[in-house]
Amino acid sequence: MTAVEIRSLSKIFNADGANRVEALVDVNLDVAAGEFISLIGPSGCGKSTLLRLVGDLLTPTSGELTVNGKSAHQARMDQDYGMAFQQAGLFEWRNVQKNIELPLELKGWDKSKRAARAQEMLELVKLPEFARHMPWQLSGGMQQRIAIARALAAHPRLLLMDEPFGALDEMTREHMQDELLRICAETATTVVFVTHSIPEAVYLSDRVVVMSPRPGRITKIVETGLGKVRNEETRRSDTFHHRVIDVREALRGLHDDDARLIGREDR
Amino acid sequence: MTLSPTALRQGARKTIMFVIAFGLVAGAWEGYKAIGPERSSKVFGWKIIPSASDQAMPHIGSMFSRLAKPEVRGNGTTIFHAVALATWYSFRVALFALVLGVIVGLLLGVVMARFRITERALMPYLIVSQTIPLIALAPVLVSWSGRLKPFGFQFEKWMTAAMLGSFLAFFPIAVASVRGLKAVKPESLELLDSCAASWWQGLIKVRLPSSVPMLLPALKLSAANAVIGVLVSEISIGLKFGIGRLILSYSQDGSSDPAKVYTAIFGAAVLGLVMAGLVVVIERTLTRNRPKETAR
Ligand SMILES: Nc1ncnc2c1ncn2[C@@H]1O[C@H](COP(=O)(O)OP(=O)(O)OP(=O)(O)O)[C@@H](O)[C@H]1O
Ligand SMILES: [Mg+2]
């Protein structure tokens, strides 16, 4: 079954204004249920725009988009989504536990069930003793982990993440990558994941979608073929390295400046 | 609320500052009395040098000693008692005015933040409403509340005074809440949208709490406005029992008993201080868990 079906989708900002931007033009993409997809490409190529279109936070200018067999709007109303963005966006008047509980509150879960799930999520992001802390008492990376816990708390069917690991240190980042893969495998969650890191995209994904700007479009889709189990072995494997090179070359095929930008951000 | 050593130290410092400020004002008053002329005089034809006579400026000491003496000769109750009772009465009316004003202000703010068109339609009227002098409004409201009896409910005079007070109190809250409710971070709104939160859920869980830092300064203004509104309307609608009325009636004894009116003015000052203290308590409670920058 396809979780997301995108047919000749376009998004043009300020269509008749002076600042007209063709953010996305004629995008086609199918995401299978349970699949992990990464979007990668130079700044301004429309990754966030595509993610927001899928999440029904933006409306397309033209084209078709279905999520779990229904319109994106219906999927959002059915609370099929979990979202995490680059800024943690925690609520400063709620403590850590209450922040994680927010989506559950909106779903109408009762108190004890919420608390139990929040604790479970806190253990997952390795911050179990911080339930009663206020967000401003945490470091940026810790806040980000809470935001990820919040996005995952309701076990959404479709997880949309926009550079969620950008603020994390390398060790936490790898830990979170493994945990994310584990949770998504356990709960059969479909993920659309935006990142600037080529190794991260390859390690996490079943397929890496390479995009290019002006106008924003998909230029290549790299199948990683790494199998379902990922671990340290995977990071050292030849397949992994080959796929990293494939993605890098797909990006090099873009504008020279843009490719150099990407190269700097990849580690 | 537990009091930490730093909180105690801060409290002590504030008390000392308050005493010093009072001392300075009292010192200036007595100082002018010592050097000022017995009769007021004119400069360039304007009467701007006030008289320092005991008649015009009684000694601070006699104001306080006046508190301990009977209100009128031969009557048992002291002025202190009368002033305290009147202050307590006005405090309750002003508190009612503040609560009513905050409720009305928040309701208006919510409606204006929800429907853009209502903001454009309502805001000019709200601004104009604040330019109407209370003195002009008071008789109108008195005659209305005399005639209107919704469901057989009889308005009492103190309610009219409270309504007039809330007429001044609602405005800062209304203005601050429209701004606060609309100034939510876009990423917070995206999060709410992604969870398909209703507007109502968003209001309760995000918009209201995030506008608390903007509402608190407005609450201070509202509290001050409620006190002023109630005191002025006590005088203009002739409500007995309150401190506003007491100021008026004591000032009529000014020629024979000049210190008397100042005792009532002390009462009004205490009323203002208690209201301000109440707002501080509310502020502390609401910002307990906030980062220090906004808690200040
Ligand atoms: N709300 C908006 N109004 C107008 N133009 C927009 C808006 N949002 C995005 N754009 C434009 O659309 C294009 C794609 O933006 P988008 O944010 O999707 O890029 P991105 O690939 O996520 O970039 P980055 O890697 O820097 O996050 C950009 O040129 C941007 O200027
Ligand atoms: Mg982006």
Side-chain angles (χ1 to χ4, degrees), chain A residues 52 57 76-79 81 83 85 87 89-94 102-103 105-106 134 136 150, chain B residues 185 187-188 190-197 201 205-206 209-210 213 288-292 294:
Chain A
R52 282 184 164 77
L57 298 175
R76 185 164 68 82
M77 286 303 140
D78 293 347
Q79 301 180 315
Y81 296 113
M83 296 196 198
F85 301 101
Q87 326 88 317
L90 300 179
F91 298 112
E92 59 177 26
W93 57 89
R94 286 176 163 245
L102 183 75
E105 269 175 51
L106 295 172
M134 300 307 290
W136 48 274
R150 176 176 64 188
Chain B
K185 290 192 208 121
E187 61 258 34
S188 304
E190 280 196 332
L191 186 89
L192 284 173
D193 276 346
S194 76
C195 300
Q201 285 175 318
K205 293 192 192 295
V206 174
S210 80
R288 214 176 28 217
N289 286 329
R290 303 248 178 175
K292 292 290 169 282
T294 50

Coordinates of all heavy atoms in Angstrom, one line a residue, chain A residues 52 57 76-79 81 83 85 87 89-94 102-103 105-106 134 136 150, chain B residues 185 187-188 190-197 201 205-206 209-210 213 288-292 294:
Chain A
R52 N 5.9 20.3 4.0 CA 4.7 21.0 4.4 C 3.5 20.7 3.6 O 2.3 20.7 4.0 CB 4.9 22.5 4.5 CG 5.8 22.9 5.7 CD 5.9 24.4 5.8 NE 6.4 24.8 7.1 CZ 7.7 24.6 7.5 NH1 8.6 24.1 6.7 NH2 8.0 25.0 8.7
L57 N 0.2 21.6 5.6 CA 0.4 22.9 6.2 C 0.5 24.0 5.1 O 0.4 25.2 5.4 CB 1.7 22.9 7.1 CG 1.6 22.0 8.3 CD1 3.0 21.9 9.0 CD2 0.5 22.3 9.2
R76 N -4.7 14.8 8.0 CA -4.4 15.7 9.1 C -5.5 15.7 10.2 O -5.3 15.7 11.4 CB -4.1 17.1 8.6 CG -3.6 18.1 9.7 CD -3.0 19.3 9.1 NE -3.9 20.2 8.4 CZ -4.7 21.0 9.1 NH1 -4.6 21.2 10.4 NH2 -5.6 21.8 8.4
M77 N -6.7 15.8 9.7 CA -7.9 15.8 10.6 C -7.9 14.5 11.3 O -8.4 14.5 12.5 CB -9.2 16.1 9.8 CG -9.3 17.5 9.3 SD -9.3 18.6 10.7 CE -8.3 19.9 10.1
D78 N -7.5 13.4 10.7 CA -7.5 12.1 11.4 C -6.3 12.0 12.3 O -6.1 10.9 12.8 CB -7.5 11.0 10.3 CG -8.8 11.0 9.6 OD1 -9.8 11.6 10.0 OD2 -8.9 10.3 8.5
Q79 N -5.5 13.0 12.4 CA -4.3 13.0 13.3 C -3.4 11.9 12.9 O -2.9 11.2 13.8 CB -4.8 13.0 14.7 CG -5.6 14.2 15.1 CD -6.1 14.2 16.5 OE1 -6.5 13.2 17.0 NE2 -6.0 15.3 17.2
Y81 N -0.5 12.4 11.5 CA 0.8 13.0 11.4 C 1.5 13.1 12.7 O 0.9 13.4 13.7 CB 0.8 14.4 10.7 CG 0.3 14.4 9.3 CD1 -0.9 15.0 9.0 CD2 1.1 13.8 8.3 CE1 -1.3 15.1 7.7 CE2 0.6 13.9 7.0 CZ -0.6 14.5 6.7 OH -1.0 14.6 5.4
M83 N 5.0 15.5 13.6 CA 6.0 16.4 12.9 C 7.0 16.9 13.9 O 6.8 17.2 15.1 CB 5.2 17.6 12.3 CG 4.2 17.2 11.3 SD 3.8 18.7 10.3 CE 2.3 18.0 9.5
F85 N 10.4 19.7 13.7 CA 11.1 20.7 12.9 C 12.5 21.0 13.4 O 12.9 20.6 14.5 CB 10.3 21.9 12.7 CG 8.9 21.7 12.1 CD1 7.8 21.6 12.9 CD2 8.8 21.5 10.8 CE1 6.6 21.3 12.4 CE2 7.6 21.2 10.2 CZ 6.5 21.1 11.0
Q87 N 13.7 23.9 14.6 CA 13.6 24.5 15.9 C 12.7 23.6 16.7 O 11.7 23.2 16.3 CB 12.9 25.9 15.8 CG 13.2 26.7 14.6 CD 12.2 26.4 13.5 OE1 11.8 25.3 13.3 NE2 11.7 27.5 12.9
G89 N 10.8 24.2 19.2 CA 9.4 24.7 19.4 C 8.7 24.2 20.5 O 7.5 23.8 20.4
L90 N 9.4 24.0 21.7 CA 8.7 23.6 22.9 C 8.0 24.8 23.5 O 8.3 25.9 23.3 CB 9.7 23.0 23.9 CG 10.5 21.8 23.4 CD1 11.5 21.4 24.5 CD2 9.6 20.7 23.0
F91 N 7.0 24.5 24.3 CA 6.2 25.5 25.0 C 6.8 25.8 26.3 O 6.9 25.0 27.2 CB 4.7 25.1 25.1 CG 4.1 25.0 23.8 CD1 3.7 23.7 23.3 CD2 4.0 26.0 22.9 CE1 3.1 23.5 22.1 CE2 3.4 25.9 21.7 CZ 3.0 24.6 21.2
E92 N 7.2 27.1 26.5 CA 8.0 27.4 27.7 C 7.3 27.3 29.0 O 7.9 27.3 30.1 CB 8.7 28.8 27.5 CG 7.6 29.9 27.3 CD 8.3 31.3 27.3 OE1 9.4 31.3 26.8 OE2 7.6 32.3 27.6
W93 N 5.9 27.4 28.9 CA 5.1 27.3 30.2 C 4.8 25.9 30.6 O 4.2 25.6 31.6 CB 3.9 28.1 30.1 CG 3.0 27.7 28.9 CD1 2.0 26.8 29.0 CD2 3.1 28.2 27.6 NE1 1.5 26.6 27.7 CE2 2.1 27.5 26.9 CE3 3.8 29.2 26.9 CZ2 1.9 27.7 25.5 CZ3 3.6 29.4 25.6 CH2 2.6 28.7 24.9
R94 N 5.1 24.9 29.7 CA 4.9 23.5 30.0 C 6.2 22.8 30.4 O 7.2 23.1 29.7 CB 4.3 22.8 28.8 CG 2.8 23.2 28.6 CD 2.3 22.5 27.3 NE 0.9 22.6 27.3 CZ 0.1 21.5 27.3 NH1 0.6 20.3 27.3 NH2 -1.2 21.7 27.3
L102 N 1.4 17.0 24.8 CA 0.4 17.8 24.1 C -0.3 17.1 23.0 O -1.5 17.2 23.0 CB 1.2 19.1 23.6 CG 0.2 20.1 22.9 CD1 -0.7 20.8 24.0 CD2 0.9 21.0 22.1
P103 N 0.4 16.4 22.1 CA -0.4 15.8 21.0 C -1.4 14.7 21.6 O -2.5 14.5 21.0 CB 0.7 15.1 20.2 CG 2.0 15.7 20.6 CD 1.8 16.2 21.9
E105 N -2.9 14.9 24.5 CA -4.0 15.7 25.0 C -5.0 16.0 23.9 O -6.2 15.9 24.1 CB -3.5 17.0 25.6 CG -3.1 17.0 27.1 CD -2.5 18.3 27.5 OE1 -3.1 19.4 27.3 OE2 -1.5 18.2 28.1
L106 N -4.4 16.5 22.8 CA -5.3 16.9 21.7 C -6.0 15.7 21.1 O -7.1 15.8 20.5 CB -4.4 17.6 20.6 CG -3.8 18.9 21.0 CD1 -2.9 19.4 20.0 CD2 -4.9 19.9 21.3
M134 N 11.8 22.5 33.1 CA 11.2 23.4 32.1 C 12.1 23.4 30.9 O 13.3 23.3 31.1 CB 11.0 24.8 32.7 CG 10.2 24.8 34.0 SD 8.5 24.0 33.8 CE 7.7 25.2 32.7
W136 N 13.4 25.7 29.1 CA 14.6 26.7 29.2 C 15.7 26.2 30.1 O 16.7 26.8 30.1 CB 14.1 28.1 29.5 CG 13.2 28.2 30.7 CD1 11.8 28.0 30.7 CD2 13.6 28.4 32.1 NE1 11.3 28.1 32.0 CE2 12.4 28.4 32.8 CE3 14.8 28.6 32.7 CZ2 12.4 28.6 34.2 CZ3 14.8 28.8 34.1 CH2 13.6 28.8 34.8
R150 N 8.1 14.2 21.4 CA 6.7 14.7 21.2 C 6.1 14.3 19.9 O 5.0 13.8 19.8 CB 6.7 16.2 21.3 CG 5.3 16.9 21.1 CD 5.4 18.4 21.3 NE 6.2 19.0 20.3 CZ 6.5 20.3 20.4 NH1 6.0 21.1 21.4 NH2 7.3 20.9 19.5
Chain B
K185 N 4.1 32.1 18.0 CA 5.1 31.8 17.0 C 4.6 30.9 15.9 O 3.8 30.0 16.2 CB 6.3 31.0 17.7 CG 7.1 31.9 18.6 CD 8.3 31.1 19.0 CE 8.8 31.5 20.4 NZ 8.9 30.5 21.4
E187 N 5.8 28.4 14.3 CA 6.1 27.0 14.5 C 5.1 26.4 15.6 O 4.8 25.2 15.4 CB 7.5 26.7 14.9 CG 8.0 27.3 16.1 CD 8.9 28.6 15.9 OE1 8.6 29.3 14.9 OE2 9.8 28.8 16.6
S188 N 4.7 27.2 16.5 CA 3.7 26.7 17.5 C 2.4 26.4 16.8 O 1.7 25.4 17.0 CB 3.4 27.7 18.6 OG 4.7 28.0 19.2
E190 N 2.0 25.7 13.6 CA 2.2 24.6 12.7 C 2.0 23.3 13.5 O 1.4 22.3 13.1 CB 3.5 24.6 12.0 CG 3.6 25.5 10.8 CD 4.8 25.2 9.9 OE1 5.8 24.8 10.5 OE2 4.7 25.5 8.7
L191 N 2.6 23.3 14.8 CA 2.4 22.1 15.6 C 1.0 21.8 15.9 O 0.5 20.7 15.8 CB 3.2 22.3 16.9 CG 3.2 21.0 17.7 CD1 4.4 20.1 17.3 CD2 3.2 21.2 19.1
L192 N 0.2 22.9 16.3 CA -1.2 22.7 16.6 C -1.9 22.2 15.3 O -2.7 21.3 15.4 CB -1.8 24.1 17.0 CG -1.5 24.5 18.4 CD1 -2.0 25.9 18.6 CD2 -2.0 23.6 19.4
D193 N -1.6 22.8 14.2 CA -2.3 22.4 12.9 C -2.0 20.9 12.6 O -2.8 20.1 12.2 CB -1.8 23.2 11.8 CG -2.6 24.5 11.7 OD1 -3.6 24.6 12.3 OD2 -2.2 25.4 11.0
S194 N -0.7 20.5 12.9 CA -0.3 19.1 12.5 C -1.0 18.1 13.4 O -1.2 17.0 13.0 CB 1.2 19.0 12.6 OG 1.6 18.9 14.0
C195 N -1.5 18.6 14.6 CA -2.3 17.7 15.4 C -3.8 17.9 15.3 O -4.6 17.4 16.0 CB -1.9 17.9 16.9 SG -0.2 17.6 17.3
A196 N -4.1 18.7 14.2 CA -5.5 19.0 14.0 C -6.3 19.5 15.2 O -7.4 19.2 15.5 CB -6.3 17.7 13.5
A197 N -5.6 20.4 15.9 CA -6.2 21.0 17.1 C -7.2 22.0 16.6 O -7.0 22.7 15.6 CB -5.1 21.7 17.9
Q201 N -9.0 24.6 21.2 CA -7.9 24.0 21.9 C -6.7 24.8 21.8 O -5.9 24.9 22.8 CB -7.7 22.6 21.3 CG -8.7 21.5 21.6 CD -8.4 20.2 20.8 OE1 -8.1 20.3 19.6 NE2 -8.6 19.1 21.5
K205 N -4.7 26.0 25.1 CA -3.4 25.3 25.4 C -2.2 26.1 24.9 O -1.1 26.0 25.5 CB -3.4 23.9 24.7 CG -4.4 23.0 25.3 CD -4.2 21.6 24.9 CE -5.4 20.7 25.3 NZ -5.5 20.6 26.8
V206 N -2.4 27.0 23.9 CA -1.2 27.7 23.4 C -1.4 29.2 23.4 O -0.6 30.0 24.0 CB -0.8 27.2 22.0 CG1 0.3 28.1 21.5 CG2 -0.4 25.8 22.1
P209 N -1.8 30.9 27.2 CA -0.6 30.9 28.0 C 0.6 31.6 27.4 O 1.4 32.3 28.1 CB -0.2 29.4 28.1 CG -1.2 28.6 27.4 CD -2.3 29.6 26.9
S210 N 0.7 31.7 26.0 CA 1.8 32.4 25.4 C 1.6 33.9 25.5 O 2.6 34.6 25.3 CB 2.0 31.9 24.0 OG 1.1 32.5 23.1
P213 N 2.9 36.9 29.2 CA 3.9 37.9 29.4 C 3.4 39.3 28.9 O 3.8 40.3 29.5 CB 5.1 37.5 28.6 CG 5.0 36.0 28.5 CD 3.5 35.8 28.4
R288 N 5.9 31.7 37.7 CA 6.7 30.8 38.5 C 7.7 30.0 37.7 O 8.9 29.9 38.0 CB 5.8 29.9 39.3 CG 6.2 29.6 40.7 CD 5.1 28.8 41.3 NE 4.4 28.0 40.3 CZ 3.1 27.8 40.3 NH1 2.3 28.3 41.2 NH2 2.5 27.2 39.3
N289 N 7.2 29.4 36.6 CA 8.0 28.4 35.9 C 8.5 29.0 34.6 O 9.0 28.3 33.7 CB 7.1 27.2 35.5 CG 6.9 26.4 36.7 OD1 7.7 26.3 37.6 ND2 5.7 25.7 36.8
R290 N 8.5 30.3 34.5 CA 9.0 30.9 33.2 C 10.4 31.2 33.3 O 11.0 31.5 34.4 CB 8.2 32.1 32.9 CG 6.7 31.9 32.8 CD 6.2 32.0 31.4 NE 4.8 31.7 31.4 CZ 4.0 31.9 30.3 NH1 4.5 32.3 29.2 NH2 2.8 31.5 30.4
P291 N 11.1 31.3 32.1 CA 12.5 31.8 32.2 C 12.6 33.1 32.8 O 11.6 33.9 32.7 CB 12.9 31.8 30.7 CG 11.6 31.6 29.9 CD 10.6 31.0 30.8
K292 N 13.7 33.4 33.4 CA 13.8 34.6 34.2 C 13.6 35.9 33.4 O 13.1 36.9 34.0 CB 15.2 34.7 34.9 CG 15.4 33.6 35.9 CD 14.5 33.9 37.2 CE 14.5 32.7 38.1 NZ 13.6 31.6 37.7
T294 N 11.4 36.6 31.2 CA 10.0 37.1 31.1 C 9.3 37.2 32.5 O 8.3 37.8 32.7 CB 9.1 36.1 30.3 OG1 9.4 34.8 30.7 CG2 9.4 36.2 28.8

